[in-house]
Amino acid sequence: MTNPSLLILAGDGIGPEVMAQVARVIDWYGDKRGLKFDVSEDLVGGAAYDAHGTPLHDDTMARAQEVDAVLLGAVGGPKYDALDFSVKPERGLLRLRKEMDLFSNLRPAQCFDALADFSSLKRDVVAGLDIMIVRELTSGVYFGEPRGIFKEGNERVGINTQRYTESEIDRVARSAFELARRRSNKVCSMEKANVMESGILWRDVVTEVHAKDYSDVELSHMYADAGAMQLCRWPKQFDVILTDNLFGDILSDTAAMLTGSLGMLPSASLGAPMANGRPKALYEPVHGSAPDITGKELANPIACILSFAMALRYSFDQGDEASRLESAIESVLAQGVRTADLMQADTDAKPASTTEMGDAILAALDASL
Ligand code: IPM
Ligand code: MG
């Protein structure tokens, strides 16, 4: 049997630095657990633009469609700010999501106990937190037409369109309900049905899918603004949060900070099953390319490594090995190993470098055997 295939797109900024640590973890699984992957690498974002004049080469797109999973680092940076919108680094990532049809974006926000005091919220609000945001990823205002900047009389007008079809809402709702069944069996769906027709349809379809096939799951609805407030007030009331593309982008950054740092949050973007039964999949940290700390060995590789753990779980049916990796990270944090993002600004202590965090995680993996 051939090994499962992974395409690594490290991208821009801190992407290559954090991905270098993921590559060490992948090698560890090959050496120590007999889990071998066929790994190939390619360019995305600004790096692809520099090489090819496009943020995603057609060959890379084709390769992404063939592999068992894509691992992505981060895209973007100030160097590319002046580029035309159509070739901005972000367009490469959005093309991958759209053409692979990765409609279900899983963004877990888990608070590791060792970091509970580091959150900007009180310990009892965040300790033990374990929520999952399911963000619709291939539609809504990110892709709706018409869009553009047009001339209207003497002035310009910027237009984007929030658009959702019933089937788009239906399939992402199903993925949220399925996930909830394997967790605490609760889904809270968030939209703005009080102001947006797309929100009214969203609420209707979620309610219908629930009544038809998932009435065993507890379902509630919340306006997204109230949801943002509740996430900061008492996040442990939530299990799975189901929401659209734009609200999911915002709510997942909020949820991320509950856990202490954006440097901790992984994500999985899943589509329909391929011929081999595995879902089309792309795994990436929620954080961005962090140009301010690029090249300084200051980045936290944990979000990217946890994204590989999600790949083990959701693409390769290796839930136990995913848990092994998550536990290794938990023990490293419990030992007090901290990258700069996990340290108070007023401390004199020296942060662990990106590579030192990788070293500590590999040592914890060794210790798990
Ligand atoms: C995210 C990011 C992206 C998004 C950007 C980089 C296009 O913020 O994955 O949350 O807006 O979806
Ligand atoms: Mg975002």
Side-chain angles (χ1 to χ4, degrees), residues 23-354:
R24 298 173 73 197
V25 171
I26 295 172
D27 286 345
W28 185 91
Y29 274 96
D31 293 346
K32 304 284 171 74
R33 304 300 299 154
L35 271 177
K36 305 233 186 267
F37 295 94
D38 285 338
V39 181
S40 53
E41 289 183 48
D42 211 333
L43 304 172
V44 70
Y49 178 82
D50 289 340
H52 308 299
T54 162
L56 189 72
H57 196 281
D58 289 343
D59 293 347
T60 316
M61 187 64 243
R63 180 94 191 105
Q65 298 280 19
E66 285 161 13
V67 292
D68 292 313
V70 178
L71 298 182
L72 189 136
V75 294
K79 180 177 165 197
Y80 308 104
D81 280 352
L83 284 184
D84 186 74
F85 185 71
S86 63
V87 289
K88 278 204 189 297
E90 290 78 5
R91 304 308 305 170
L93 173 58
L94 294 170
R95 181 177 173 200
L96 281 164
R97 291 174 178 173
K98 186 71 177 172
E99 291 193 21
M100 291 171 75
D101 203 17
L102 305 171
F103 61 87
S104 179
N105 180 218
L106 278 39
R107 300 191 158 188
Q110 254 172 306
C111 184
F112 288 90
D113 201 54
L115 297 183
D117 291 314
F118 191 70
S119 171
S120 51
L121 277 79
K122 294 194 191 85
R123 169 176 263 276
D124 67 317
V125 176
V126 296
L129 180 74
D130 179 7
I131 60 185
M132 177 74 88
I133 295 186
V134 178
R135 168 188 178 193
E136 198 292 326
L137 201 61
T138 50
S139 186
V141 77
Y142 271 62
F143 298 98
E145 300 281 348
R147 66 183 298 165
I149 300 176
F150 305 96
K151 196 88 184 165
E152 214 176 77
N154 288 330
E155 62 174 356
R156 291 173 302 159
V157 47
I159 298 182
N160 289 92
T161 303
Q162 167 85 334
R163 180 181 191 277
Y164 270 108
T165 64
E166 287 185 284
S167 52
E168 286 168 342
I169 302 167
D170 182 290
R171 63 182 186 172
V172 72
R174 283 176 193 281
S175 77
F177 287 127
E178 293 289 339
L179 254 168
R181 278 183 177 158
R182 286 182 266 132
R183 298 169 45 93
S184 302
N185 217 35
K186 279 199 319 194
V187 172
C188 181
S189 171
M190 297 187 187
E191 27 55 20
K192 286 278 288 177
N194 51 345
V195 242
M196 298 165 78
E197 284 79 359
S198 59
I200 297 175
L201 185 71
W202 183 281
R203 192 175 282 220
D204 279 355
V205 174
V206 171
T207 305
E208 283 161 20
V209 171
H210 175 256
K212 192 159 165 272
D213 292 321
Y214 297 96
S215 53
D216 55 300
V217 180
E218 192 185 312
L219 170 66
S220 58
H221 304 272
M222 218 178 255
Y223 297 140
D225 54 344
M229 184 266 285
Q230 291 295 340
L231 262 177
C232 299
R233 192 186 70 83
W234 190 244
K236 284 188 257 184
Q237 70 188 281
F238 298 115
D239 177 26
V240 173
I241 293 175
L242 164 64
T243 191
D244 75 11
N245 205 342
L246 183 60
F247 293 140
D249 182 41
I250 298 165
L251 293 170
S252 62
D253 269 25
T254 306
M257 266 329 275
L258 302 174
T259 70
S261 168
L262 205 47
M264 295 294 299
L265 264 86
S267 79
S269 305
L270 307 175
M274 300 185 281
N276 62 13
R278 295 189 173 112
K280 277 258 168 81
L282 180 147
Y283 299 87
E284 56 173 321
V286 172
H287 65 66
S289 60
D292 51 325
I293 57 164
T294 296
K296 298 182 180 159
E297 274 279 310
L298 283 173
N300 182 353
I302 290 181
C304 205
I305 295 175
L306 284 174
S307 300
F308 175 65
M310 290 188 88
L312 289 172
R313 180 170 288 119
Y314 293 105
S315 282
F316 303 118
D317 222 7
Q318 295 285 343
D320 290 347
E321 295 299 340
S323 299
R324 176 195 299 281
L325 183 49
E326 289 156 356
S327 302
I329 288 170
E330 197 163 358
S331 76
V332 163
L333 293 170
Q335 289 159 30
V337 184
R338 299 278 186 275
T339 41
D341 57 305
L342 302 176
M343 297 177 76
Q344 308 292 354
D346 54 3
T347 170
D348 292 334
K350 190 175 167 292
S353 70
T354 309

